Every structure is written in structure tokens, then in C-alpha cells.
Amino acid sequence: QVQLVESGGVLVKPGGSLRLSCAASGFTFTAYYMSWIRQAPGQGLEWVSYISTGGHTIYYANSVKGRFTISRDNTKNSLHLQMNSLRAEDTAVYFCVRGGGDAFDFWGRGTMVTVSS
Amino acid sequence: QSVLTQPPSASGTPGQRLTISCSGSSSNIANNYVYWYQHLPGMSPRLLIHKNNERPSGVPDRFSVSKSGTSASLAISGLRAEDEADYYCAAWDDSLRGWVFGGGTKLTVL
């Protein structure tokens, strides 16, 4: 069955960096766009970024552009999000999600990132 | 402020038909597909309906959508207790060149 398992979420200080990872299994990873979507505490869903199958097309939300970098390793069926210059408003559960060029059709359980001094 | 506007809450009784609205603009809803997601408490969000009323396997036909101009709606007929969840609309925004979500509607089944 399809599985997306996120890791890397921790408590980090403002201005710090963090790298999230997502291990995908149960489907042909190379055939799907992949995305990161986040949910701040008590708030709604916010799309963060998506990457195409080969990694050549990437989009970011304005709120993270220039600070976050999405990447994928198709040899290891993994998705990553490098997060730099973190701010308090980046505090959220980060979901690894299958899709991005079309529907977001499968979501991981999420990993919590807390940015606080 | 979310780019797409949804009512923050909605409520209904079992068996009732209820609709949740999603308002956008010409850069998103008017010219792109609208997607709806259901977020049950303690679970990951799941795709509910996409494109033209296409439902993934396991989603009952009690859920349907409509769109007119810059607005879309999710209709739930025969409301059930297990429908109690947060519902989000989403669409690609051509101006922002990114996906935008509504703020979410918390559905309570009385």
C-alpha cells in the first residue's frame, strides 16, 4: 500500500536550518509529482512547494521562496525539504504529499517543526 | 487571509443536505479545477473530490461539487456523524503560480 513517512521535524531556534525527509513506498515514485504542505497550529492548510517527476519543474509559495529548497532522490524514493532562515511563523506540521501537478491524492502523517527560542 | 474564502463553520443534523462554499477569483477558481479535501480529527487530510465530480475509491457519492464563475461548492447529502471534519477547497492560482487553499470549514453534525 502507499506509504509516505516524514522525518526530521524538531525544535529549532529562529534563524536556524532544518532538513525534512519523506520516504515513499508502495507506488512508482518516479511517476508522480510530490509536494510539501503545512498546517500551523489551529490554522488551515498551506501549500509550500512542489517538484515534478524529474525535478526540473519546481514551485514555491511566496512565504518560503528564497528560504526553502525542495528536492527528490528518485534512486531512493525520497523527497526532501531544506529549510533555512526559519521563522516563528514556519512552526507547523509538514505533510509530504503525492501530487502537485494535479490533485494531492495521498498524504503522509506529517512531522512537527517548531521554531522558537 | 486565505486566497480562497470559505465559511469557518457549518452544522447540520443527520440526514440533512448541506453545502460549503468556496469563493475565489479569475486567477484560480474561474479558470482551473477546484479540489476538495477532508481532514478528519487525528488523521491525515484526504482527497475528497477532484476535477469534475471525480471521487477517489472509497468516497461515497453523497459528496458532490459544483462550480460557477469564481465560486465553487461542496454538497453533502444524507449527512452522517462520521462526516464531522474540516473541509478545504484548493485550486491552482495562475497569478501566484502556486496552489491556494481555503481557510477550511469545520463541519459539526448535531
Side-chain angles (χ1 to χ4, degrees):
Chain A
Q1 71 281 22
V2 176
Q3 285 197 47
L4 295 170
V5 180
E6 303 92 337
S7 61
V10 292
L11 169 63
V12 61
K13 289 181 166 50
S17 296
L18 200 56
R19 179 176 161 92
L20 303 183
S21 296
C22 171
S25 60
F27 65 101
T28 304
F29 184 70
T30 53
Y32 287 86
Y33 283 35
M34 296 295 296
S35 299
W36 288 98
I37 294 172
R38 68 185 181 184
Q39 184 174 32
Q43 303 299 310
L45 301 172
E46 180 189 16
W47 169 78
V48 173
S49 178
Y50 88 64
I51 186 168
S52 61
T53 54
H56 302 297
T57 300
I58 290 173
Y59 285 102
Y60 296 100
N62 287 338
S63 58
V64 306
K65 203 172 293 183
R67 300 187 300 123
F68 290 12
T69 302
I70 192 172
S71 62
R72 63 190 295 162
D73 185 339
N74 285 344
T75 66
K76 296 181 179 177
N77 288 357
S78 62
L79 178 73
H80 305 282
L81 186 68
Q82 178 66 41
M83 308 164 67
N84 298 330
S85 303
L86 283 162
R87 306 166 180 166
E89 54 264 35
D90 295 319
T91 294
V93 174
Y94 284 74
F95 295 101
C96 171
V97 185
R98 190 174 75 174
D102 196 348
F104 301 113
D105 69 352
F106 193 85
W107 301 57
R109 300 286 302 199
T111 187
M112 183 70 204
V113 172
T114 303
V115 183
S116 174
S117 54
Chain B
Q1 255 82 329
S2 301
V3 174
L4 304 182
T5 301
Q6 297 179 238
S9 64
S11 63
T13 54
Q16 188 178 357
R17 184 178 186 274
L18 176 146
T19 61
I20 297 172
S21 63
C22 175
S23 176
S25 70
S26 58
S27 63
N28 42 66
I29 289 179
N31 292 301
N32 294 299
Y33 288 118
V34 180
Y35 301 80
W36 290 87
Y37 298 89
Q38 179 190 57
H39 194 183
L40 293 162
M43 305 285 286
S44 301
R46 72 159 175 167
L47 176 64
L48 197 62
I49 291 189
H50 59 114
K51 294 186 176 177
N52 298 318
N53 263 317
E54 294 178 29
R55 288 179 298 278
S57 172
V59 176
D61 60 6
R62 300 186 295 105
F63 294 89
S64 62
V65 297
S66 62
K67 189 177 94 166
S68 178
T70 59
S71 293
S73 292
L74 171 71
I76 309 173
S77 60
L79 202 59
R80 303 175 68 154
E82 60 257 36
D83 297 333
E84 200 162 271
D86 294 326
Y87 292 85
Y88 295 89
C89 58
W92 178 261
D93 190 291
D94 295 324
S95 295
L96 294 173
R97 295 178 66 79
W99 287 94
V100 292
F101 280 88
T105 298
K106 184 176 185 61
L107 172 61
T108 302
V109 180
L110 302 170

